[in-house]
Amino acid sequence: MINVTGLNAFYGDAQVLFDVNFSLSEGEVVGILGANGAGKSTFMKSLTGLVKVAPESITLRGNALGGIAPGDIVKQGIAMVPEGRRLFASMTVEENLLMGAFAKRKGKWNLAEIYRLFPILQEKRNNPSTSLSGGQQQQVAIGRALMSNPDILLCDEISLGLAPIVIREIYDALPSIIADGMTVVVVEQDVMLARECAQRLYCFQEGRVALEGRSDTLTRDQITEAYFGI
Ligand code: ATP
């Protein structure tokens, strides 16, 4: 579905991604691991048009994706749950969810389905998004991305800053999202979580892919070495 070939990314003159190769097949769940500053978020932003890259370095179903505006990428079926959630602070829960529907793509996801997945959001639908707990806000961020009915869901560190029990709740929702054939990329700093949900893993180190392989065949030592560079 997505093919990334020789991807380089820059902030001004500073290069942060170097010759990254990556592939994602339909229906796959792929995990991206790496320490702080390894380039995971920049990679996700490259896939969603938030960081400009060479057009041919990323293709979606064979068509160049680099250089396309973020809103048009959502319309092509890629949605992101950004690191830090980035909810619209002045809006209610439901208004935030509805913002995700601007792409007007057809599919299963609508308000009723999001509320079925995360029932607490229905209860709090008229509350300001800022009044919710961190875990509930993360549910809104996931719901908002699903509202665009994406083919590919990109999740950037959805466990960050949450208590273990809340992380469990969030990750327990993934199977019912994936069940309908959604293709998912999960960026994680937590190796166990990534191994649990992803069939394949990529480990980023200083802007490069240091390791790639099936979750069930990569050893703990291989991952530790690629993760920390030791
Ligand atoms: P984290 O887990 O801390 O978010 P990450 O693996 O997602 O880390 P990135 O956020 O992609 O890493 O950062 C990769 C490198 O790019 C880091 O050295 C970071 O300081 C730098 N960087 C990130 N955003 C910017 C920016 N807007 N301008 C300049 N440099 C940036």
Side-chain angles (χ1 to χ4, degrees), residues 6 31 34 50 53 60 107 121 129 154 161 182 187 189 199 211 225:
L50 294 167
V53 297
L60 173 65
L121 299 188
S129 61
L154 309 178
M182 186 84 77
V187 165
Q189 290 201 27
Q199 292 125 27
L211 181 72
E225 188 184 328

Side-chain angles (χ1 to χ4, degrees), residues 7-78:
L7 174 71
N8 298 305
F10 301 81
Y11 293 109
D13 290 336
Q15 185 166 1
V16 295
L17 292 181
F18 301 83
D19 195 25
V20 170
N21 296 311
F22 172 93
S23 68
L24 182 67
S25 302
E26 192 156 0
E28 245 192 333
V29 180
V30 167
I32 297 182
L33 290 163
N36 282 336
K40 307 177 300 295
S41 292
T42 304
F43 179 68
M44 297 291 250
K45 287 176 186 166
S46 303
L47 296 179
T48 50
L50 294 167
V51 167
K52 294 280 166 258
V53 297
E56 302 297 334
S57 57
I58 304 177
T59 59
L60 173 65
R61 299 186 189 91
N63 299 315
L65 200 71
I68 295 181
D72 292 329
I73 289 182
V74 177
K75 286 179 187 159
Q76 291 197 26
I78 301 180

Side-chain angles (χ1 to χ4, degrees), residues 12 15 71 79 105 122 126-127 140 164 177-178:
Q15 185 166 1
R105 289 172 51 86
Q122 181 158 28
N126 294 321
N127 294 14
V140 178
I177 295 170
I178 295 161

